[in-house]
Amino acid sequence: MSSVLHPPSSGQDPLMATHYRPISSHLAITPPVSVVIPAMNEAENLPYVFKTLPDWIHEVVLVDGNSTDDTVEVARSLWPGLRVVEQRGKGKGDALITGFEACTGDIIVMVDADGSADGNEIVSYVSALVSGADFAKGSRFANGGGTDDMTFIRKLGNWALCTVVNRKFGARYTDLCYGYNAFWRHCLDKIDLDCTGFEVETLMNIRVVKAGLKVQEIPSHEYLRIHGTSNLRAVRDGLRVLKVILAERSNRRALLRQARQERLLNTGRGEVS
Ligand SMILES: Nc1nc2c(ncn2[C@@H]2O[C@H](COP(=O)(O)OP(=O)(O)OP(=O)(O)O)[C@@H](O)[C@H]2O)c(=O)[nH]1
Ligand SMILES: [Mg+2]
């Protein structure tokens, strides 16, 4: 879909005629944008999150992780028309997959509920998508990005895992385990997500590269979680991320082997030993 305005015809308002919605002083778009927010006991943080969400968003889908506080009530009071989805299983990955399925927009944006993401950045993600990218991947380490939230150990772990992904999958990422991303809905058919925990962003980042999708990094600033404590456990979740990388790598090898075998069979050179 194009983000270019057509010239006005016979005095008609081009914005009204083509259902373009202005999203900045420079850009108007037609695709509806859904925002998915995974939230587990984030009632205190939600006012800060919703305050920054732009009013041109088509829908907000909050995926509640069986919160024991007022997450759902607070969210409903902050965003009229909010859609609330209960996740089936456990974990952030499970929550996001459930939320993606529920979205009706053409563009889907993932936003954490802890106050670390600034909704004003959504326009940068959407701009990249309407300009040709399939997947707009947030990066705290691209020029213009930053983080107030990561410890030295987490930065080191993220850098090491990101380096492995770049080497093994031919990516050129500057960040790996970051929850602020956006994509066209059609990407979901190509990446077929199947995970439950915090490894979900890594799995997405690997599968979009494997699927040959066009990925653009968006500089993003991660703020400190405002209230409450992180659900992430650096060692446990780092190991889960590593496991996903290794599993995706061996799948890739198997696929390459199979493709090579088929090519040889087709050219009449028989089986590979
Ligand atoms: N629905 C749901 N949401 C979850 C679950 N686990 C985490 N989340 C949400 O996912 C988002 C990210 O979780 P955080 O605990 O902030 O983890 P993180 O951002 O990786 O770690 P920090 O950098 O320490 O904040 C938050 O909005 C959480 O509420 C879950 O099991 N279910
Ligand atoms: Mg967080």
Side-chain angles (χ1 to χ4, degrees):
M1 260 172 259
S2 159
S3 59
V4 180
L5 287 175
H6 297 296
S9 60
S10 61
Q12 202 179 25
D13 181 343
L15 290 180
M16 296 307 289
T18 50
H19 306 290
Y20 276 93
R21 267 164 297 118
I23 68 167
S24 76
S25 54
H26 296 88
L27 185 67
I29 61 166
T30 59
V33 176
S34 299
V35 168
V36 176
I37 306 181
M40 191 164 72
N41 299 324
E42 303 284 11
E44 286 184 287
N45 292 320
L46 289 176
Y48 302 93
V49 179
F50 281 94
K51 196 172 64 185
T52 67
L53 293 184
D55 58 6
W56 46 262
I57 283 168
H58 158 66
E59 69 181 354
V60 179
V61 176
L62 181 119
V63 190
D64 176 40
N66 298 305
S67 297
T68 50
D69 68 0
D70 294 338
T71 290
V72 173
E73 294 74 18
V74 170
R76 281 196 205 281
S77 73
L78 291 167
W79 196 268
L82 176 86
R83 296 182 54 210
V84 177
V85 184
E86 289 296 330
Q87 71 179 100
R88 290 176 292 254
K90 279 189 172 165
K92 186 184 181 187
D94 179 80
L96 284 175
I97 294 169
T98 308
F100 297 159
E101 279 170 14
C103 287
T104 61
D106 292 338
I107 287 176
I108 299 175
V109 188
M110 308 152 47
V111 175
D112 280 355
D114 58 354
S116 59
D118 179 359
N120 292 302
E121 289 180 4
I122 293 177
V123 70
S124 310
Y125 287 82
V126 171
S127 299
L129 295 173
V130 296
S131 310
D134 296 307
F135 190 84
K137 175 186 165 300
S139 171
R140 296 160 290 189
F141 303 105
N143 258 352
T147 176
D148 300 337
D149 194 41
M150 284 175 101
T151 58
F152 174 73
I153 292 295
R154 278 207 198 176
K155 280 186 189 158
L156 191 66
N158 185 56
W159 172 81
L161 293 164
C162 188
T163 305
V164 176
V165 166
N166 287 344
R167 293 251 167 90
K168 298 291 178 194
F169 299 95
R172 278 181 287 162
Y173 293 152
T174 58
D175 197 352
L176 187 70
C177 309
Y178 188 40
Y180 203 172
N181 305 291
F183 52 88
W184 288 97
R185 155 190 289 289
H186 69 72
C187 295
L188 289 173
D189 301 333
K190 308 218 171 71
I191 61 178
D192 200 17
L193 292 174
D194 51 355
C195 67
T196 53
F198 282 104
E199 67 280 12
V200 60
E201 290 103 5
T202 300
L203 186 61
M204 296 177 86
N205 292 336
I206 293 175
R207 294 219 175 138
V208 290
V209 168
K210 283 168 87 175
L213 295 171
K214 193 169 167 196
V215 184
Q216 185 174 331
E217 283 201 330
I218 309 297
S220 172
H221 193 96
E222 179 187 38
Y223 295 88
L224 274 177
R225 165 182 272 284
I226 299 170
H227 294 283
T229 49
S230 171
N231 298 286
L232 184 119
R233 300 281 166 274
V235 175
R236 176 200 69 186
D237 294 304
L239 287 173
R240 285 179 73 124
V241 168
L242 185 62
K243 217 167 131 190
V244 158
I245 296 172
L246 296 176
E248 289 300 301
R249 179 67 187 158
S250 52
N251 288 349
R252 184 168 181 256
R253 280 215 202 94
L255 284 174
L256 287 174
R257 231 184 353 258
Q258 191 186 340
R260 188 159 162 251
Q261 242 167 5
E262 280 166 10
R263 227 180 15 251
L264 289 172
L265 284 172
N266 288 342
T267 52
R269 287 174 58 194
E271 292 268 318
V272 189
S273 59

